Amino acid sequence: GADAAVYSLLADQTGTVYAGGAFASVGGLARNRLAAVTAAGDVTAFDAGVTGCFGTHTTGYANSFAPCTPVVRALSLGGTTLYVGGLFSQVGGEVRHNAGAVDVTTGLATAWDPRPSNLVYAVGADAQNAVVAGEQTSVNGVYRKGLAALDATSGALVTDFQADTNEAVLDLLPSVDGTRLIVGGAFLSIQGASRPYLASIVVASGQVDGFNP
């Protein structure tokens, strides 16, 4: 097993399971926060080495980052690319702030580098776009609170999509046809529209639709 908590699981079509969490080893092998295990339970050679993190500035740490512990909280698979979210400063051998993507064969980082400003709880990806959700207030230096849509290859911000929430987004689920994004979390509103804790967003515009249970 792992030596600490596992927060996210994802399986590919071959049955390989990707696990993310707060662990430093799986099956007795060093695997920092991210590992791959075969259907038979064998840890694979995949090793993306998630390390480091940037704590939030507070009164007690006005001129430095507060201590923090790296963690992987979100995984999503797009082809041979594994998208990773959480709280960290490096993945796949490259500097990546809280979100990054790695090749599932090599474990090396891709060019995807959105740099959300805080902890990422959920990631969803398709061939064109990837969405990060969490406690962030900006992505690549541009204001996007709770949710942001990005180019799936470069990590560049999709500027047409803006669905800022007043509090953190904790999970997301694309609709079957891919036109809507169902989100849940600690928020009470999205873009000023009252949507307590659960909402549906039109992917093309970032606007909430009539879904309001």
Side-chain angles (χ1 to χ4, degrees):
D3 67 346
V6 172
Y7 292 113
S8 186
L9 293 169
L10 176 71
D12 66 16
Q13 292 183 337
T14 70
T16 296
V17 175
Y18 296 91
F23 53 82
S25 68
V26 177
L29 298 176
R31 292 291 185 273
N32 262 336
R33 277 60 181 181
L34 184 60
V37 182
T38 69
D42 298 318
V43 179
T44 75
F46 174 84
D47 185 6
V50 178
T51 60
C53 58
F54 299 105
T56 305
H57 289 288
T58 63
T59 302
Y61 294 90
N63 299 306
S64 64
F65 287 114
C68 62
T69 302
V71 64
V72 171
R73 296 297 299 259
L75 298 172
S76 183
L77 192 63
T80 60
T81 300
L82 180 67
Y83 295 86
V84 184
L87 191 68
F88 50 82
S89 60
Q90 182 168 306
V91 62
E94 299 290 342
V95 173
R96 295 289 184 268
H97 294 193
N98 307 323
V102 296
D103 183 277
V104 295
T105 303
T106 65
L108 297 177
T110 72
W112 195 73
D113 187 14
R115 303 200 172 208
S117 61
N118 210 337
L119 176 63
V120 172
Y121 284 113
V123 180
D126 59 25
Q128 285 78 41
N129 297 320
V131 176
V132 294
E135 296 181 357
Q136 77 271 5
T137 57
S138 67
V139 172
N140 272 326
V142 180
Y143 184 83
R144 288 292 186 275
K145 188 172 182 180
L147 277 170
L150 311 142
D151 181 272
T153 302
S154 68
L157 188 68
V158 177
T159 56
D160 291 341
F161 181 95
Q162 186 162 4
D164 299 322
T165 61
N166 71 315
E167 293 293 342
V169 176
L170 303 179
D171 206 358
L172 58 84
L173 178 69
S175 64
V176 174
D177 63 6
T179 62
R180 299 161 59 223
L181 190 66
I182 314 301
V183 295
F187 57 84
L188 296 177
S189 64
I190 298 180
Q191 289 292 80
S194 177
R195 291 294 188 276
Y197 312 117
L198 181 64
S200 172
I201 298 168
V202 179
V203 172
S205 65
Q207 300 300 305
V208 293
D209 59 20
F211 177 87
N212 191 13

